[in-house]
């Protein structure tokens, strides 16, 4: 939608390994992605300030809650091998 509104032209097809490209990199961390969404005027206009703010608040709280829980992998490979 935003590409059509902003008259963006599609890029050429990627024929090499896209994970190794420097251009158009996605954020490496959730916090960076959340910050990008928080600062995006267009998304706030489309989805509304209230939705974006609430969505980000929920996602940040989910992340905090998840950080307090040990995964099965952590239990199996880290905790039991100490």
């Amino acid at each position: 939608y935003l590409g059509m509104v902003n008259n963006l032209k599609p890029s050429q097809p990627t024929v090499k390994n896209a994970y190794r490209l420097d251009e158009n990199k996605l954020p490496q961390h959730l916090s960076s992605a959340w910050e990008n969404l928080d600062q995006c005027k267009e998304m706030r206009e489309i989805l509304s300030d209230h939705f974006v703010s609430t969505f980000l608040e929920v996602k940040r709280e989910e992340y905090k809650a998840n950080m307090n829980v040990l995964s099965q992998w952590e239990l199996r490979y880290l905790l039991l091998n100490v």
Side-chain angles (χ1 to χ4, degrees):
Y1 174 78
L2 289 175
M4 291 185 297
V5 169
N6 294 327
N7 294 318
L8 297 178
K9 301 293 181 224
S11 61
Q12 294 298 317
T14 301
V15 293
K16 30 186 170 167
N17 186 340
Y19 291 107
R20 294 202 171 101
L21 297 177
D22 287 330
E23 64 270 2
N24 300 323
K25 281 214 176 253
L26 293 174
Q28 295 293 308
H29 304 282
L30 280 174
S31 59
S32 299
W34 294 333
E35 187 62 31
N36 290 348
L37 177 58
D38 196 25
Q39 301 299 319
C40 184
K41 284 188 321 184
E42 291 95 349
M43 292 303 289
R44 286 187 170 276
E45 289 172 7
I46 293 168
L47 298 173
S48 83
D49 281 332
H50 178 72
F51 177 86
V52 171
S53 297
T54 302
F55 176 82
L56 291 172
E57 185 176 334
V58 167
K59 292 300 164 189
R60 287 176 176 135
E61 288 302 316
E62 287 175 349
Y63 183 79
K64 285 182 206 172
N66 187 50
M67 292 306 293
N68 293 324
V69 177
L70 292 175
S71 71
Q72 288 298 319
W73 185 89
E74 290 168 319
L75 289 171
R76 186 177 305 125
Y77 294 102
L78 300 178
L79 205 57
L80 297 177
N81 292 318
V82 175

